[in-house]
Amino acid sequence: MSQSPLRLYVDSIFTSPYAMSVFVTLREKGLAFDLVPLDLEAAQHQTADFARLSVTQRVPTLVEGDFALSESSAITEYLDEAYPETAVYPVDPRQRARARQVQAWLRSDLLPIRQERSTLVVFCGQQMPPLSPVAEAAARRLISGAQTLLAGDPAHLFGEWSIADVDLALMLNRLILNGDNVPADLVAYARRQWLRPSVQAWVNQPRPVL
């Protein structure tokens, strides 16, 4: 293992959307880091050693020297403040707040989508049955919100690319990559985000065959 000042703990099958968000942030900033996969099914995130690092015992967790931080949006916000040379959030305070709003929404709402369209759909090609009525309602909320945010078909949410674009594209891809009905403009938006080299670096991590 290299002696990078940064270590990022992620899930060993590389399907956590939150680990992806931090991984992309680190890559976009050009920061060297060691990637440490944990087998969540084997409860490696519940060991005493990891509990000393991560107060939440979750991935992603970032370690920098004697400083450790969990929860993806907290990590990406910290990295943007600690390493400001390449921003992953909008510079304008109001747009920055809106980017954080998008992240908070995607993490706290739309649970039926996350339950019925796991990221195994996104990263491992798993196909799931039709959405339940409650998940269809959540999908309509997602699509409506995304179309409002992307009115006028901009390349990115807030002018320049931000990490919120990756988070939104991933949520949309839960539906798109399962073949669910998503408007063409949102499909095109998600595909644009997916082509970023930093995103492709995560997408192309080795995973088990289902």
Side-chain angles (χ1 to χ4, degrees):
M1 182 179 287
S2 70
Q3 296 302 307
S4 167
L6 297 169
R7 289 200 314 281
L8 179 64
Y9 289 83
V10 302
D11 61 303
S12 61
I13 61 172
F14 304 100
T15 59
S16 165
Y18 312 117
M20 175 184 177
S21 191
V22 177
F23 176 94
V24 168
T25 294
L26 288 162
R27 292 290 293 248
E28 289 285 338
K29 288 181 170 293
L31 297 171
F33 63 99
D34 291 325
L35 196 61
V36 186
L38 296 181
D39 186 338
L40 304 188
E41 288 198 5
Q44 288 184 346
H45 58 306
Q46 295 175 355
T47 64
D49 284 346
F50 189 65
R52 281 191 286 272
L53 288 177
S54 173
V55 67
T56 60
Q57 293 182 257
R58 304 210 302 180
V59 297
T61 289
L62 180 77
V63 177
E64 182 182 35
D66 60 359
F67 175 69
L69 187 65
S70 302
E71 302 306 310
S72 58
S73 56
I75 298 170
T76 54
E77 289 175 25
Y78 166 71
L79 289 169
D80 222 32
E81 293 172 1
Y83 301 92
E85 293 80 7
T86 301
V88 299
Y89 285 94
V91 174
D92 176 78
R94 291 185 174 183
Q95 297 288 64
R96 189 179 184 90
R98 284 183 171 145
R100 289 169 166 168
Q101 173 184 258
V102 168
Q103 289 187 302
W105 172 48
L106 296 173
R107 284 159 171 73
S108 65
D109 195 7
L110 309 171
L111 177 61
I113 298 175
R114 296 199 300 275
Q115 289 175 325
E116 297 186 25
R117 296 290 181 267
S118 100
T119 50
L120 293 176
V121 169
V122 178
F123 299 117
C124 302
Q126 186 178 69
Q127 291 294 291
M128 302 296 289
L131 293 168
S132 68
V134 68
E136 283 186 349
R140 287 194 296 271
R141 287 203 312 279
L142 170 62
I143 289 167
S144 175
Q147 288 187 315
T148 298
L149 288 163
L150 293 163
D153 198 26
H156 308 296
L157 283 167
F158 306 108
E160 297 295 320
W161 175 90
S162 77
I163 192 61
D165 285 296
V166 172
D167 292 344
L168 179 57
L170 189 144
M171 185 62 86
L172 290 168
N173 272 336
R174 291 175 185 265
L175 302 174
I176 294 165
L177 297 177
N178 196 71
D180 298 306
N181 188 31
V182 175
D185 57 336
L186 296 183
V187 173
Y189 163 80
R191 284 178 178 160
R192 281 197 302 273
Q193 308 312 320
W194 229 236
L195 290 174
R196 288 187 78 84
S198 59
V199 173
Q200 283 294 300
W202 178 267
V203 170
N204 290 322
Q205 292 292 327
R207 295 179 180 86
V209 177
L210 293 180

